[in-house]
Amino acid sequence: ANILSALNRKGEALKAYDAALAQRPGFFEGEFNRANLLMELGRLEEALAGYERAVAARADVPSAWNNRGAVLRRMHRPDAALASHDRALALAPGHVNALINRGMALKDLERTKEAEAAADAALALQPDASEALHLKSASALETGRIGEAQGLFARRRQAAPKQPAALNGLARAAALAGD
């Protein structure tokens, strides 16, 4: 199923996960990977149900809690997302993606300082983490720290040159600075 998914044969991959789970219900890797695929396909309610089964099978896996939080955030449930990311971080305090996702949930909740602190923690562990750079640069821009935002957007552009958000952020910061 993983190979089919990697080959972009998503429908076949989903059928393969379903067949595997019919043979072995509650199998963590099957539930987790199937939920990841469903989230990728935008089938968020089904993905959430899959992550619920995954964490029920293995509550000790930080990535399952982190991904559960990611789908909850996409469902516009930032409080529940934050709780999942916190659970992931309780299991693995250095989980960079969970720190970034925690920051995004905090930003959704308009808790800017805490969101920026989560981005800082992620950047301390992985200085080129593109999404953490984005979170921090957006926060700097929102709080009027234009020069800092420009530097962070430039760092993000270096870290992920194919992501247009960094260039868009640079342009927005330049416009606000009057450049």
Side-chain angles (χ1 to χ4, degrees):
N2 292 345
I3 292 171
L4 290 168
S5 183
L7 292 172
N8 206 30
R9 294 165 55 185
K10 307 298 183 186
E12 293 172 76
L14 195 54
K15 288 178 186 174
Y17 287 128
D18 289 342
L21 288 166
Q23 294 293 315
R24 196 168 162 198
F27 175 57
F28 170 79
E29 286 81 2
E31 294 289 3
F32 181 72
N33 291 332
R34 182 178 185 277
N36 287 340
L37 177 58
L38 289 165
M39 184 163 58
E40 183 181 335
L41 294 171
R43 294 166 58 178
L44 303 181
E45 292 288 343
E46 293 172 88
L48 178 58
Y51 290 127
E52 295 289 350
R53 289 188 296 274
V55 297
R58 292 278 314 272
D60 63 329
V61 179
S63 293
W65 287 104
N66 182 54
N67 289 14
R68 179 183 180 272
V71 79
L72 285 163
R73 183 171 175 265
R74 286 185 58 188
M75 296 169 76
H76 307 287
R77 295 173 54 194
D79 285 309
L82 181 59
S84 278
H85 298 311
D86 285 345
R87 183 77 182 263
L89 289 165
L91 294 167
H95 194 297
V96 172
N97 287 335
L99 284 165
I100 293 167
N101 287 333
R102 180 180 196 280
M104 290 181 190
L106 287 163
K107 186 175 183 321
D108 291 344
L109 293 167
E110 299 180 6
R111 292 164 56 182
T112 305
K113 286 183 181 181
E114 291 173 87
E116 196 168 333
D120 286 337
L123 290 167
L125 296 167
Q126 188 179 331
D128 64 342
S130 175
E131 292 302 318
L133 286 166
H134 175 75
L135 182 60
K136 180 141 174 103
S137 57
S139 176
L141 199 60
E142 287 173 15
T143 56
R145 299 180 341 256
I146 308 303
E148 181 183 352
Q150 287 175 311
L152 290 162
F153 280 123
R155 272 181 61 197
R156 183 176 188 214
R157 188 159 185 235
Q158 285 181 326
K162 295 186 181 200
Q163 290 185 350
L167 189 55
N168 292 341
L170 269 171
R172 186 170 165 219
L176 289 171
D179 292 345

